[in-house]
């Protein structure tokens, strides 16, 4: 894992922030370039952890799955915390934020899947270490009802494997935890509006657009 440490740190610290009042065209272009850079960093890091998994070591496979979950987690956080275009009206900000959320939520779900696979693999192979515990703590943050276990077994720091601990994870219904929420009854359709969020939230509306 050592060769990926500095690269992972740089990835986390890379923010989707322009930090300058450029023209609207240059501002959008700059943010899209940063988004593209962040995406490439995430892809490159993920491939490196996937290569580690090819070694078929249960311990490092579990660790790699946790790190892949972290990569997606920090990508979604970067989207949620990305810079708001300085020229937007209040109404446009709401539309922009909705576009950001729609883009970040699938990434967040992939983070959850990475943490779940980490725990599943630990359960199947009998490997336990701090990566497994950290994955479960991440999942408690996303789905506390599914991953909080009372009176769980506590192991000493540095302990890497204990078949007894599998009983804790056997209590978690992983399929149910990741199942989509039941469909709700369709609500009455609102009146049509021209203010439709863009598919790519980084492409912010121009100043004055949609205003009277």
């Amino acid at each position: 894992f050592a060769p990926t440490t500095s690269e992972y740190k740089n990835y986390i610290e890379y923010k989707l922030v322009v930090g300058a009042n450029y023209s609207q065209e240059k501002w959008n272009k700059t943010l899209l370039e940063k988004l593209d850079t962040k995406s490439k960093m995430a892809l490159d890091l993920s491939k490196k952890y996937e290569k580690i998994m090819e070694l078929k070591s249960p311990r490092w496979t579990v660790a790699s799955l946790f790190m892949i979950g972290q990569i997606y987690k920090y990508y979604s956080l970067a989207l949620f915390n990305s810079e708001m275009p300085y020229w937007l009206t209040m109404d446009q900000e709401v539309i922009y934020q909705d576009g950001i959320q729609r883009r970040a939520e699938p990434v967040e779900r992939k983070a959850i899947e990475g943490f779940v696979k980490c725990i599943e693999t630990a359960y199947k192979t009998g490997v336990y270490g701090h990566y497994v515990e950290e994955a479960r703590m991440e999942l408690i943050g996303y789905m506390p009802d599914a991953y909080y276990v009372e009176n769980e077994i506590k192991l000493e720091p540095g302990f890497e494997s204990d078949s007894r601990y599998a009983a804790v994870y056997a209590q978690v219904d992983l399929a149910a935890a990741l199942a989509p929420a039941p469909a709700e009854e369709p609500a009455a359709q609102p009146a049509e509006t021209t203010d439709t969020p863009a598919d790519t939230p980084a492409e912010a509306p121009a100043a004055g657009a949609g205003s009277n």
Side-chain angles (χ1 to χ4, degrees), residues 5-20:
T5 301
S6 61
E7 188 175 351
Y8 175 69
K9 181 180 179 182
N10 291 338
Y11 168 74
I12 291 176
E13 293 176 350
Y14 191 86
K15 309 298 183 184
L16 300 179
V17 175
V18 176

Side-chain angles (χ1 to χ4, degrees), residues 17-23 26-28 30 83-87:
V17 175
V18 176
N21 289 349
Y22 295 138
S23 67
K26 184 176 180 181
W27 195 98
N28 276 325
T30 302
E83 184 176 351
M84 179 77 68
Y86 63 86
W87 62 86

Side-chain angles (χ1 to χ4, degrees), residues 63-185:
S64 295
L65 287 168
F66 170 76
M67 295 304 296
I68 290 173
Q70 288 287 84
I71 289 169
Y72 284 114
K73 169 193 169 181
Y74 281 105
Y75 193 97
S76 68
L77 287 175
L79 288 172
F80 281 125
N81 296 323
S82 60
E83 184 176 351
M84 179 77 68
Y86 63 86
W87 62 86
L88 298 185
T89 65
M90 291 181 65
D91 288 341
Q92 289 172 340
E93 286 182 359
V94 173
I95 295 171
Y96 186 86
Q97 288 172 336
D98 180 68
I100 289 289
Q101 183 169 345
R102 288 188 294 107
R103 187 163 188 166
E105 283 177 349
V107 181
E108 190 175 72
R109 189 170 181 82
K110 291 185 75 67
I112 293 172
E113 290 174 356
F115 298 136
V116 168
K117 288 179 180 178
C118 173
I119 291 178
E120 284 182 327
T121 303
Y123 170 60
K124 291 175 182 177
T125 60
V127 169
Y128 176 78
H130 72 278
Y131 290 109
V132 182
E133 178 60 17
E134 289 183 31
R136 191 174 70 83
M137 295 305 295
E138 293 285 358
L139 289 170
I140 287 174
Y142 289 114
M143 298 176 290
D145 292 339
Y147 286 93
Y148 178 76
V149 181
E150 293 184 354
N151 302 320
E152 66 175 289
I153 302 168
K154 295 293 186 180
L155 303 180
E156 294 298 323
F159 197 90
E160 291 295 341
S161 180
D162 190 333
S163 59
R164 295 174 303 159
Y165 207 83
V168 173
Y169 298 113
Q171 299 178 44
V172 178
D173 186 343
L174 299 173
L178 286 177
E184 298 180 357
E185 291 294 327

